[in-house]
Amino acid sequence: MIKRQTKNYSKEEIYKILHPLVKKWFDLNFKDFTPAQKQSIVGVHRQNNILISSPTGSGKTLTAFLSIISELITLSEKDELEDNIYCVYISPLKALDNDIDRNLDIPLNEIGKMAKWDLGIRKAVRTGDTTQYQRNKMLKKPPHILITTPETLSILLVAPKFREKLVNVNYVVVDEIHNFAENKRGVDLNLSLERLQHLVGGFTRIGLSATVSPLEDVANFLVGFEYGTPRDCLIVDVDYLKNLDVEVVSPVEDIVIADSEDTRLGMYDLLDDLIMEHKTTLVFTNTRSGAESVLYNLIKLFPDHYNKDNLMNHHSSLSKEKRLLTEESLKEGKLKGVVSSTSLELGIDIGYIDLVVLINSPKSVSRALQRIGRSGHRIGEESKGRIVVTDRDDLVECSIILKSVKDGKIEKLRIPKNSLDVLSQHIYGMAIESIWDIDYCYDVIRKSYNYVDLSREEYEDVLSYLAGEYVELEERYVYPKIWIDYDKNIFGKKGKLARMIYSTNVGTIPDSSNILVKVDNNPIGRIDQEFMDKLKKGDTFVLGGSVYRFNYSKGMTINVSPASGPPTIPSWFSGQLPLSFELAMEIQRFRRILETKFQANRTKKEIMDFLNGYLCIDDFGANSIYEYFNEQYLYAIIPTDNTLLIEYYTGFGGRKFVIFHSLYGRKVNDALSRATAYLISERYDVDLTISISDNGFYLSSDSKIYGLEGFKSLKVESFRDTLIKATQKTEILSSRFRHCAGRSLMTLRRYKGREKSVGRQQVRGKILKKFVEDVDPNFPILKESQREVIEDYMDVDNAEKVIGLIESKRIDIKIINTVIPSPFGFNLVSQGYLDVLSPNDKGEFVKRTHKAILKKIKEKLNGVDR
């Protein structure tokens, strides 16, 4: 049963359950326990499963370990500390593992000096970086606290000698659990915990999380089920009610009419002012290239303020040594600032930060909270954050994000269910452990939150695949991995190399690499795989300032040919974080509020006063939002949460566009646009191009498009099937099948010490995909690839919700025709054109379009300007 912990234990009550040495050490270092500690330490001592959700810097890690260290010291004092692992600590990052290892040194060393005996408490980090010598050492003298990652835990469960050291595990601590819950690394971890539960018989599960929602789902994810009922878990939800000092700031008075170079330089001037006003600033960008660019320009533009010693960057493409240097310099207070992509979002100890700056939208409330929470790291201090925006859509989005942060509205986590590729990997691992009863194995798997609803049919399909019952697959060198005796209802591993194959191929993170782009046989550059996944035959995109048409892909190479006209796939599309559906709906509700004020003829001052009070923005931001919405209202219609605007527009050269103002986030828009385009192409034989963003999508063609007809043909009951058909021959399905085939060990990334290149994996994946489609369209790994595309990569559930709202008339469709795209539609339609223009030409194009819209508004109002 999941319960909220409401009792706060006093310092005296907590001291009663702690070893005297731990109590003495705590007194020397801290004045009192934090609220999270007051609610949690006693629960951990009583061996309750517990989920602790509180902001960064609130003492979560010490909360988890204080009772554990106390228990180990008690055993040590009684000379009952055995050569076994008592606690397993799991985090998503090797860097965080190393951080925890260093942080545990402090209490263990200091308490050890106080003790009159040798504590003998050992800890060790075990990851893919651990040397063979260190591994052998751990076997002889296992650590009492093992610090590791999900992938390594999977391997340890099939290592016969090390597996024996796990049988007495009493505690498992899962740090940054929210980082696992939404992806397949979390699914992998979840099944490993159930396999460990089977081995041990039971242990205390402790989850440490940032602020997320809904906590009940995360708690269930942590503890799993027993006989279909959630195991007991206490939820400690501590909001320190920090005085958040947050604001959206704009570098210019009106973003749309400002020169692009003025906006760029204004952004760096503003960033410089913010950094120089504070001791240490952490700047987040959304991409690695963005982090490099911001660092380079700050040093170039302000050489008197910054150099490579006081301003550094941090992202996953940097070497381990460079990242460690940045982290250590931060902790030691040597830096004026650090520019990071997403790599410093998690709880690595980086010392004191007094300001966090976000360059453009973080795309979700939870990510904004996570990033801004890195400042004011000390208990009771405020978190200070600024979001710098350079685009009007971004301005509106970020303003609503910060309002949601203030209001405590957080998006819901989406936890994957019934991932058949990860299931295949774990059943193989279980077979290596021992011989299993088929029914009992099914019961163990269904104790995992991710598989509680797994059907018997899907389970048996996976067993059939692993047992080689799809005999045709041997033609493609996919061989049986387990044997099944149906008379005895048991299965086990097959082959002498099973443990080696499993241990060198486990995990859920696919190998990735940049894609080589060729014209004929001549290389012209590289794109990342995520960008390639968007492409279909005939799409055009910009590379090196020129436009190319995508022809086909082979392995990690794509063939293109020179093209003319605007690209159909904007270059900015790749690498962007998707806007969450809940946040998108909040923005639409805000649009409706402003629309009612315009309809009521409120003055500019009245609306500006409202904006300044309602949102966390400066005067420049409020003015830009007012002008943006005013122009949309006067020129067209403001799309809202109950009004879907469809805009018909004819562009350069007579090309026709249907713009759907569907502000539902990119994942939903990807699903809606692909399904709509598929139905149109099937019924009317029209060749369409698609472009999507978080704010909407457009369909484009040289002939009639049938956009509304196709969109209105979408039905809730058939939408999933339509979307699966629409993605059947796409690069994204091929890519996801390759990933799923790797996870399910249909294809091996490593065999007998040899690595298979990503290119070879991709080629083999495409061949296998075509083969299994012919053998059985319901083959489990193909089904999982389709599920991953429409549920994880896209958002089929919320797309169905939108279609349902339209069917029930709760969303009204309104249609307009324009000769110039409306202000809300301009960013979407123009992006392709802007990709092929120089910075100066871009600025001139935007200004001319804006003037043309203002002219149309005046004509519409018969010369009366609002």
Side-chain angles (χ1 to χ4, degrees):
M1 186 175 179
I2 308 297
K3 290 182 182 177
R4 293 266 176 168
Q5 170 70 299
T6 54
K7 180 174 172 57
N8 280 289
Y9 290 89
S10 67
K11 190 175 183 180
E12 292 71 27
E13 287 176 305
I14 296 172
Y15 273 179
K16 285 179 183 177
I17 58 102
L18 293 178
H19 190 281
L21 285 176
V22 176
K23 182 173 66 173
K24 184 178 178 183
W25 173 81
F26 190 88
D27 263 339
L28 290 172
N29 289 277
F30 304 96
K31 290 181 179 179
D32 196 4
F33 293 101
T34 67
Q37 290 164 350
K38 287 178 178 179
Q39 290 190 34
S40 306
I41 290 173
V42 173
V44 175
H45 172 75
R46 292 175 178 168
Q47 299 194 326
N48 297 132
N49 295 326
I50 195 161
L51 172 66
I52 306 165
S53 173
S54 63
T56 302
S58 55
K60 287 194 293 286
T61 309
L62 186 59
T63 303
F65 277 112
L66 214 54
S67 284
I68 296 170
I69 291 171
S70 181
E71 294 298 315
L72 292 176
I73 291 173
T74 300
L75 289 172
S76 172
E77 188 176 27
K78 295 177 181 177
D79 200 26
E80 294 177 1
L81 200 59
E82 298 178 0
D83 285 341
N84 285 311
I85 296 166
Y86 290 87
C87 172
V88 178
Y89 167 91
I90 301 164
S91 89
L93 295 175
K94 293 176 186 175
L96 194 49
D97 282 345
N98 294 326
D99 209 34
I100 294 298
D101 185 44
R102 288 192 297 269
N103 289 342
L104 280 174
D105 279 334
I106 298 169
L108 290 176
N109 289 339
E110 291 180 355
I111 294 171
K113 289 175 184 176
M114 296 178 196
K116 295 179 181 178
W117 74 96
D118 178 15
L119 293 181
I121 297 173
R122 299 185 297 269
K123 60 180 179 50
V125 176
R126 176 75 180 258
T127 67
D129 293 339
T130 306
T131 65
Q132 190 58 50
Y133 168 76
Q134 291 169 321
R135 293 177 189 181
N136 291 337
K137 191 176 174 183
M138 283 182 210
L139 266 179
K140 292 174 184 174
K141 285 283 184 180
H144 302 111
I145 300 173
L146 175 67
I147 302 164
T148 190
T149 59
E151 292 77 14
T152 300
L153 179 60
S154 290
I155 293 169
L156 296 179
L157 286 169
V158 301
K161 292 180 181 177
F162 205 95
R163 181 179 162 84
E164 293 172 8
K165 310 299 182 183
L166 293 169
V167 295
N168 290 318
V169 166
N170 288 335
Y171 306 94
V172 172
V173 181
V174 182
D175 204 352
E176 306 285 354
I177 191 170
H178 58 281
N179 189 264
F180 289 121
E182 284 198 289
N183 54 56
K184 288 191 174 181
R185 283 191 85 196
V187 180
D188 177 30
L189 170 61
N190 215 252
L191 280 176
S192 288
L193 291 180
E194 291 309 326
R195 288 166 61 188
L196 184 62
Q197 179 95 8
H198 165 72
L199 174 67
V200 175
F203 51 83
T204 301
R205 305 186 189 209
I206 305 161
L208 309 180
S209 177
T211 307
V212 290
S213 176
L215 280 172
E216 284 72 16
D217 283 359
V218 181
N220 281 327
F221 171 79
L222 170 68
V223 300
F225 288 71
E226 203 73 54
Y227 305 111
T229 302
R231 293 188 180 106
D232 291 341
C233 185
L234 292 174
I235 294 176
V236 173
D237 183 11
V238 178
D239 181 357
Y240 284 101
L241 300 176
K242 283 187 176 184
N243 295 317
L244 287 171
D245 177 2
V246 291
E247 192 175 14
V248 175
V249 290
S250 171
V252 290
E253 185 172 356
D254 191 336
I255 291 170
V256 77
I257 62 174
D259 182 270
S260 59
E261 184 64 7
D262 288 343
T263 302
R264 188 184 78 87
L265 293 175
M267 183 195 80
Y268 283 107
D269 284 336
L270 177 57
L271 196 51
D272 174 54
D273 288 343
L274 290 169
I275 295 171
M276 295 307 293
E277 287 167 6
H278 295 83
K279 181 178 181 295
T280 308
T281 300
L282 175 56
V283 180
F284 279 107
T285 65
N286 288 336
T287 61
R288 287 165 288 182
S289 60
E292 292 286 352
S293 177
V294 169
L295 178 75
Y296 172 81
N297 283 304
L298 280 172
I299 293 174
K300 179 183 175 184
L301 293 169
F302 307 101
D304 294 338
H305 292 170
Y306 312 111
N307 54 58
K308 292 181 179 178
D309 293 324
N310 71 359
L311 189 69
M312 295 182 176
N313 63 3
H314 191 285
H315 57 75
S316 58
S317 292
L318 293 173
S319 68
K320 178 182 176 183
E321 292 72 23
K322 171 68 175 166
R323 293 197 306 272
L324 283 173
L325 176 62
T326 301
E327 291 163 22
E328 290 301 322
S329 299
L330 256 181
K331 285 180 202 174
E332 293 167 12
K334 295 179 179 177
L335 300 183
K336 195 66 187 159
V338 168
V339 187
S340 172
S341 56
T342 59
S343 55
L344 287 180
E345 285 181 355
L346 298 180
I348 301 169
D349 183 8
I350 54 174
Y352 184 70
I353 302 289
D354 54 346
L355 176 69
V356 170
V357 177
L358 280 59
I359 306 294
N360 297 323
S361 174
K363 295 294 179 181
S364 77
V365 179
S366 55
R367 183 173 279 110
L369 274 170
Q370 182 90 349
R371 290 179 175 182
I372 294 168
R374 298 298 264 154
S375 68
H377 206 149
R378 296 167 188 150
I379 301 299
E381 289 192 1
E382 71 177 12
S383 288
K384 188 173 185 180
R386 297 289 182 267
I387 306 184
V388 180
V389 294
T390 55
D391 168 273
R392 289 203 290 188
D393 285 329
D394 228 26
L395 170 60
V396 175
E397 189 176 297
C398 292
S399 301
I400 300 302
I401 285 176
L402 287 197
K403 175 167 175 54
S404 297
V405 165
K406 284 277 195 178
D407 293 345
K409 293 180 180 177
I410 306 169
E411 309 90 350
K412 291 183 178 181
L413 283 169
R414 292 171 60 90
I415 301 175
K417 294 292 187 72
N418 302 330
S419 304
L420 302 182
D421 52 349
V422 183
L423 179 62
S424 301
Q425 186 179 125
H426 275 267
I427 290 176
Y428 188 32
M430 293 167 83
I432 294 168
E433 290 172 14
S434 62
I435 294 172
W436 283 77
D437 178 85
I438 292 173
D439 297 332
Y440 181 59
C441 177
Y442 180 55
D443 288 341
V444 169
I445 289 164
R446 290 180 69 238
K447 290 179 180 182
S448 157
Y449 178 73
N450 300 91
Y451 293 94
V452 68
D453 300 319
L454 179 72
S455 71
R456 181 75 184 207
E457 181 183 6
E458 286 180 315
Y459 168 66
E460 290 178 353
D461 283 347
V462 170
L463 286 178
S464 295
Y465 146 61
L466 290 171
E469 291 173 13
Y470 294 87
V471 291
E472 301 91 339
L473 286 175
E474 292 198 20
E475 296 176 34
R476 304 275 22 119
Y477 311 106
V478 178
Y479 299 109
K481 294 171 179 61
I482 65 172
W483 54 260
I484 298 177
D485 186 328
Y486 286 106
D487 292 331
K488 294 181 179 178
N489 204 45
I490 56 175
F491 69 87
K493 73 176 175 70
K494 193 166 191 174
K496 295 179 181 179
L497 299 176
R499 185 170 287 108
M500 180 274 292
I501 290 171
Y502 180 81
S503 298
T504 54
N505 288 277
V506 294
T508 59
I509 303 171
D511 294 336
S512 62
S513 180
N514 286 337
I515 310 297
L516 183 65
V517 182
K518 287 185 176 182
V519 174
D520 297 324
N521 285 317
N522 301 315
I524 58 167
R526 289 182 179 273
I527 59 174
D528 64 36
Q529 185 166 339
E530 186 188 356
F531 189 83
M532 185 190 79
D533 290 345
K534 311 291 185 299
L535 300 174
K536 66 179 189 301
K537 187 175 181 180
D539 279 342
T540 56
F541 62 95
V542 176
L543 183 62
S546 299
V547 181
Y548 296 96
R549 177 178 288 103
F550 171 64
N551 298 323
Y552 61 87
S553 69
K554 184 177 181 181
M556 303 308 283
T557 301
I558 68 169
N559 178 275
V560 300
S561 51
S564 58
T568 59
I569 304 292
S571 61
W572 55 268
F573 195 78
S574 178
Q576 295 290 313
L577 298 167
L579 180 69
S580 69
F581 179 73
E582 291 90 347
L583 183 55
M585 295 306 291
E586 284 296 319
I587 297 170
Q588 296 229 53
R589 280 188 277 274
F590 169 71
R591 285 180 171 185
R592 176 157 49 88
I593 292 170
L594 271 196
E595 180 192 39
T596 60
K597 294 190 180 300
F598 285 118
Q599 288 172 339
N601 291 315
R602 301 294 185 201
T603 64
K604 178 175 181 177
K605 183 181 183 306
E606 287 175 322
I607 295 176
M608 287 279 288
D609 287 345
F610 163 75
L611 291 172
N612 282 316
Y614 189 76
L615 302 173
C616 308
I617 51 175
D618 61 3
D619 287 339
F620 283 0
N623 183 67
S624 291
I625 289 176
Y626 170 82
E627 296 296 345
Y628 191 27
F629 276 73
N630 187 40
E631 288 166 18
Q632 179 71 20
Y633 176 71
L634 295 175
Y635 183 71
I637 294 168
I638 295 178
T640 69
D641 57 338
N642 55 23
T643 301
L644 174 62
L645 177 63
I646 299 178
E647 180 176 350
Y648 283 80
Y649 158 71
T650 301
F652 299 121
R655 188 163 186 85
K656 295 174 175 59
F657 295 83
V658 181
I659 307 165
F660 292 79
H661 291 261
S662 50
L663 202 172
Y664 302 120
R666 197 170 74 225
K667 287 186 169 186
V668 171
N669 286 333
D670 202 347
L672 292 174
S673 62
R674 286 186 195 247
T676 302
Y678 171 77
L679 291 178
I680 292 169
S681 298
E682 285 288 296
R683 294 178 187 179
Y684 304 106
D685 194 27
V686 177
D687 187 23
L688 296 172
T689 59
I690 306 171
S691 185
I692 67 171
S693 76
D694 287 314
N695 288 17
F697 66 91
Y698 73 66
L699 306 177
S700 175
S701 174
D702 290 325
S703 59
K704 188 174 179 182
I705 301 177
Y706 302 98
L708 182 61
E709 294 88 338
F711 188 73
K712 282 193 168 181
S713 298
L714 299 177
K715 302 297 178 188
V716 172
E717 63 271 11
S718 59
F719 186 71
R720 283 175 182 259
D721 288 341
T722 301
L723 194 54
I724 286 172
K725 290 173 184 173
T727 56
Q728 198 80 34
K729 297 178 181 178
T730 59
E731 290 295 327
I732 182 60
L733 182 60
S734 295
S735 178
R736 294 296 164 130
F737 180 82
R738 190 259 291 181
H739 297 170
C740 293
R743 291 189 198 103
S744 62
L745 308 180
M746 285 184 75
T747 59
L748 302 180
R749 292 172 287 172
R750 297 166 194 88
Y751 185 67
K752 292 186 176 179
R754 296 178 64 182
E755 295 269 343
K756 189 175 290 185
S757 71
V758 179
R760 285 185 63 196
Q761 290 178 44
Q762 190 81 326
V763 170
R764 177 156 166 73
K766 280 198 167 186
I767 294 169
L768 264 180
K769 173 177 170 284
K770 179 69 174 70
F771 191 79
V772 298
E773 283 173 339
D774 293 338
V775 170
D776 182 1
N778 289 312
F779 182 71
I781 308 308
L782 179 61
K783 275 177 64 177
E784 174 55 25
S785 308
Q786 293 167 338
R787 186 211 63 78
E788 188 175 311
V789 168
I790 69 171
E791 290 185 12
D792 301 345
Y793 179 78
M794 299 179 195
D795 185 353
V796 66
D797 292 331
N798 282 317
E800 286 177 330
K801 189 180 294 183
V802 170
I803 296 166
L805 289 171
I806 293 170
E807 287 179 348
S808 64
K809 309 295 185 186
R810 291 166 67 187
I811 292 179
D812 186 26
I813 294 177
K814 293 189 177 178
I815 299 165
I816 59 170
N817 292 280
T818 56
V819 292
I820 301 166
S822 68
F824 282 14
F826 175 73
N827 272 359
L828 182 60
V829 173
S830 66
Q831 192 60 54
Y833 295 105
L834 295 179
D835 275 345
V836 294
L837 297 177
S838 68
N840 288 337
D841 288 341
K842 285 181 185 179
E844 188 58 33
F845 178 75
V846 171
K847 283 181 182 177
R848 277 170 38 210
T849 306
H850 185 240
K851 285 179 181 177
I853 287 173
L854 293 180
K855 183 180 176 184
K856 287 288 181 186
I857 290 172
K858 285 186 178 182
E859 291 172 358
K860 184 176 178 181
L861 298 175
N862 297 317
V864 179
D865 200 359
R866 182 178 173 81

